[in-house]
Amino acid sequence: MASQNQELLQAIAKAADQYPKPAVTFTYGTAGFRTLGERLPSVIFRVGMLAVLRSQRLNGATIGVMVTASHNPEPDNGVKLVDPAGEMLEQSWETHATALANCETTQDLISAYEAIAAQMRIDISSPASVVYAYDTRPSGPGLIKALEASLSAFGDRVKIVNLGITTTPVLHYVVKATNDRSATYGKPTIEGYYEKLAAALKTLIGNRAPLAPLYVDCANGVGAVALEEFGKYVENIMTFKALNTDTKSKGALNYQCGADFVKTKQQLPPSVAEPGVLAQPDTRGASFDGDADRIVYYYLRDGKTFRLLDGDKIAVLAALFIEDLVKRARLQDAIKVGVVQTAYANGSSTKFIKERNIPVTCTATGVKHLHHAALKYDVGVYFEANGHGTVLFSAAALETLHKAKPSSPEEDKATKNLLALSELINQAVGDALSDLLLVEVILAHRAWGAAEWDAGYEDLPNRLVKVEVPDRTIFLTTDAERKLTSPLGLQKLIDEAVAKVEQGRSFVRPSGTEDCVRVYAEASTTPATDQLAAIVTDLVKHTAAAAATA
Ligand code: 16G
Ligand code: MG
């Protein structure tokens, strides 16, 4: 075996020589590695090596590799690993990813790789399985070549599946389905996913009238491809009016469109604001982000005023609907619904949910944190305000539903609808497409338009400020990022500023994706919010500058 491993190491080294590391320090952050696409070939090569190790460590379970930079500008790209259950890579492995990515030479790389294998007693010649996909970015195909060069160095020890151009959530689904030994989750293919969603949608819509056509801004990204393909499966039930579907023109991706644009600018993309698009009263639109794992909705109130229906609004809609169904199925003693949010959730949404006796957990920013917290509920509804999210049904909840003995047609129907919802909602990760179907189904069941959905609660005015500081690593948080523990004394000053403002709330956290600190503020009025945001921003700037000169 030793000589076999030597040969393999030589093959890896030879291939790695083709992908030298540029003079850049890489970090596997909240959303994997992300930077200019042209800097990434060596990183992707090494991620391929790590994917194989991870698979080997997990007895050959299939690992996913997704090449995307989501809502970032077109020249950027990124890569992240997907664990066998379709979840984000286990956090302890992020360090290994960072370590491999930063090895300066091939020799260092091979040593670091062997060290990880030795530490975890992994036989590097054992079988592995990797499935990968990429979005529509121009740098994608080149980066995939680097990935393939890495994976093929292992010869036929590694089983490889290339899904081609598809969305992040589709890849997560395929990973989960591939590893599902009971084979109940669905066929492990892109088509399998669409079939599953379409079947669940048909069950849930039943003999209701077809849904109203929906405008979908695809951010000129891979969501356009998914929407077009999926649309064919549900032609009789719903029609999509796809906007921003240009995946070919240079510079179009995420430019003045997409969920991130809408959420951060709090306005319609110019293409959606064109006269006639949302003109009919109560016409809804939705925006995907660049890799279609985020969605926000909107409409024009009274045909004029832009109203955003963000991740918080989706969470509330979903949690209340599911809670209703659980009660109708008379399963409220066995199935507890809970909501997971982050500090960015609008205070009004949290209050609204709590007043309805639904428990709320607050976690740090980033899908993996919300996902893990949601697993603690029988049905865990998790959404970030920015539109990342999904609903997780625990194994116990599914068993309760499968074994339920309904004593009336209404109970039977509610139980079946809950089961269909668990099929409609991506159980691996938030999916803009699956979330869109969830929203549409709920609105159809409630016979609501956007205005009725929006009517539940009124968002508090809020501001998000990006602050560039000399060193963001001095900002340390606790209490799900709601409080600072460092720099010392800053939190007290923020608390004092907040106390002076009606319904005031503000927090400061270092970004996990950019070199900056983010300040969030909300209050009862817009002027008060702006003022609070400005005061806290000043506090942050002064403290950071003082720390830099100290
Ligand atoms: C990443 C996260 C997203 C989070 C954002 C925060 C995933 C897949 N994505 O995009 O959930 O909201 O980072 O960015 O986890 P920030 O740390 O720069 O504020
Ligand atoms: Mg995304």
Side-chain angles (χ1 to χ4, degrees):
M1 180 160 66
S3 70
Q4 194 189 353
N5 284 0
Q6 277 316 316
E7 260 171 53
L8 176 56
L9 289 173
Q10 274 162 16
I12 299 170
K14 191 167 167 226
D17 276 339
Q18 304 304 310
Y19 296 94
K21 175 186 170 291
V24 179
T25 306
F26 299 103
T27 314
Y28 196 100
T30 336
F33 293 108
R34 198 176 285 186
T35 180
L36 280 173
E38 64 194 33
R39 294 181 174 169
L40 280 169
S42 66
V43 172
I44 306 270
F45 183 95
R46 293 153 189 220
V47 163
M49 294 167 67
L50 193 70
V52 172
L53 272 182
R54 180 88 184 131
S55 170
Q56 290 166 331
R57 175 80 177 99
L58 301 172
N59 301 318
T62 298
I63 297 295
V65 180
M66 183 71 205
V67 174
T68 177
S70 184
H71 60 273
N72 285 38
E74 192 174 281
D76 284 1
N77 217 324
V79 61
K80 55 187 169 188
L81 288 171
V82 179
D83 262 353
E87 299 170 21
M88 306 281 171
L89 175 68
E90 188 186 292
Q91 211 164 335
S92 64
W93 277 61
E94 293 180 3
T95 334
H96 302 316
T98 302
L100 290 187
N102 289 306
C103 291
E104 292 299 336
T105 63
T106 299
Q107 211 177 359
D108 291 352
L109 174 64
I110 298 296
S111 310
Y113 168 73
E114 282 190 282
I116 299 171
Q119 184 199 333
M120 267 172 298
R121 297 166 202 261
I122 299 168
D123 171 8
I124 59 167
S125 291
S126 57
S129 167
V130 177
V131 48
Y132 57 90
Y134 50 110
D135 71 13
T136 53
R137 282 167 201 272
S139 58
L143 294 175
I144 288 299
K145 281 214 172 77
L147 179 68
E148 287 168 344
S150 160
L151 297 176
S152 39
F154 292 86
D156 52 15
R157 294 176 183 90
V158 180
K159 183 171 169 275
I160 302 168
V161 174
N162 176 2
L163 289 184
I165 293 178
T166 192
T167 70
T168 299
V170 168
L171 174 79
H172 282 259
Y173 164 85
V174 172
V175 171
K176 187 176 173 71
T178 308
N179 289 304
D180 173 29
R181 283 171 193 248
S182 68
T184 50
Y185 191 62
K187 276 191 234 155
T189 57
I190 301 177
E191 298 73 33
Y193 185 47
Y194 296 153
E195 280 164 16
K196 176 176 163 136
L197 293 185
L201 182 68
K202 283 187 186 134
T203 306
L204 283 156
I205 294 301
N207 47 18
R208 286 182 169 72
L211 302 172
L214 180 73
Y215 286 95
V216 185
D217 154 22
C218 300
N220 293 320
V222 65
V225 179
L227 194 72
E228 196 191 340
E229 286 173 12
F230 177 71
K232 296 179 198 147
Y233 292 76
V234 292
E235 263 163 6
N236 307 327
I237 312 177
M238 71 187 303
T239 33
F240 300 113
K241 296 197 173 189
L243 301 167
N244 300 319
T245 57
D246 180 359
T247 58
K248 300 274 186 293
S249 299
K250 195 166 173 352
L253 176 65
N254 294 327
Y255 181 69
Q256 301 227 303
C257 56
D260 199 63
F261 175 92
V262 175
K263 176 70 185 165
T264 45
K265 297 237 186 288
Q266 310 211 0
Q267 68 180 58
L268 291 179
S271 49
V272 184
E274 291 278 318
V277 177
L278 295 183
Q280 294 298 319
D282 213 39
T283 309
R284 313 183 266 286
S287 284
F288 291 179
D289 75 335
D291 64 338
D293 65 350
R294 253 172 89 176
I295 183 171
V296 295
Y297 266 76
Y298 36 76
Y299 72 106
L300 295 177
R301 182 150 74 189
D302 306 323
K304 289 196 285 285
T305 319
F306 167 73
R307 297 285 298 176
L308 177 65
L309 297 155
D310 64 0
D312 298 341
K313 288 274 183 182
I314 299 175
V316 168
L317 182 76
L320 264 53
F321 182 67
I322 293 171
E323 172 96 344
D324 252 20
L325 283 181
V326 169
K327 283 187 185 143
R328 278 175 205 229
R330 286 182 167 272
L331 293 171
Q332 65 269 35
D333 294 332
I335 298 180
K336 301 281 180 220
V337 181
V339 174
V340 183
Q341 302 184 311
T342 72
Y344 288 113
N346 196 278
S348 295
S349 71
T350 315
K351 182 159 168 270
F352 187 81
I353 302 165
K354 284 188 176 162
E355 281 168 359
R356 276 144 194 87
N357 292 321
I358 298 178
V360 182
T361 312
C362 180
T363 70
T365 302
V367 169
K368 63 187 172 212
H369 301 296
L370 289 105
H371 191 96
H372 287 130
L375 289 170
K376 302 210 169 87
Y377 292 113
D378 299 317
V379 178
V381 179
Y382 77 82
F383 274 89
E384 292 188 307
N386 65 20
H388 269 297
T390 193
V391 182
L392 300 181
F393 286 72
S394 71
L398 289 176
E399 194 181 324
T400 304
L401 290 168
H402 281 296
K403 288 194 176 152
K405 300 215 162 34
S407 56
S408 72
E410 197 194 353
E411 280 175 38
D412 183 51
K413 193 141 209 297
T415 308
K416 289 198 172 114
N417 280 341
L418 282 165
L419 279 168
L421 278 180
S422 78
E423 298 278 309
L424 186 73
I425 307 173
N426 190 312
Q427 297 295 293
V429 78
D431 176 7
L433 182 58
S434 155
D435 289 342
L436 175 155
L437 300 176
L438 171 68
V439 168
E440 294 303 311
V441 159
I442 298 175
L443 295 181
H445 276 244
R446 297 267 202 222
W448 280 359
E452 286 90 351
W453 169 17
D454 191 19
Y457 67 89
E458 187 67 26
D459 271 330
L460 286 171
N462 55 89
R463 268 303 151 260
L464 184 61
V465 187
K466 178 173 160 177
V467 192
E468 274 162 23
V469 294
D471 179 10
R472 81 183 196 281
T473 63
I474 62 168
F475 290 83
L476 302 176
T477 63
T478 180
D479 189 22
E481 301 180 327
R482 288 174 290 192
K483 296 257 177 270
L484 286 171
T485 53
S486 159
L488 222 58
L490 179 55
Q491 185 59 48
K492 188 161 167 284
L493 299 174
I494 298 173
D495 289 343
E496 283 165 12
V498 167
K500 292 185 192 135
V501 179
E502 199 186 329
Q503 289 184 278
R505 191 167 71 87
S506 179
F507 64 89
V508 174
R509 57 176 282 278
S511 161
T513 62
E514 286 181 90
D515 190 11
C516 68
V517 168
R518 300 202 198 281
V519 170
Y520 177 88
E522 66 181 33
S524 59
T525 66
T526 303
T529 306
D530 289 344
Q531 205 189 355
L532 180 59
I535 292 172
V536 176
T537 300
D538 273 351
L539 288 171
V540 167
K541 280 187 183 156
H542 282 128
T543 315
T549 53

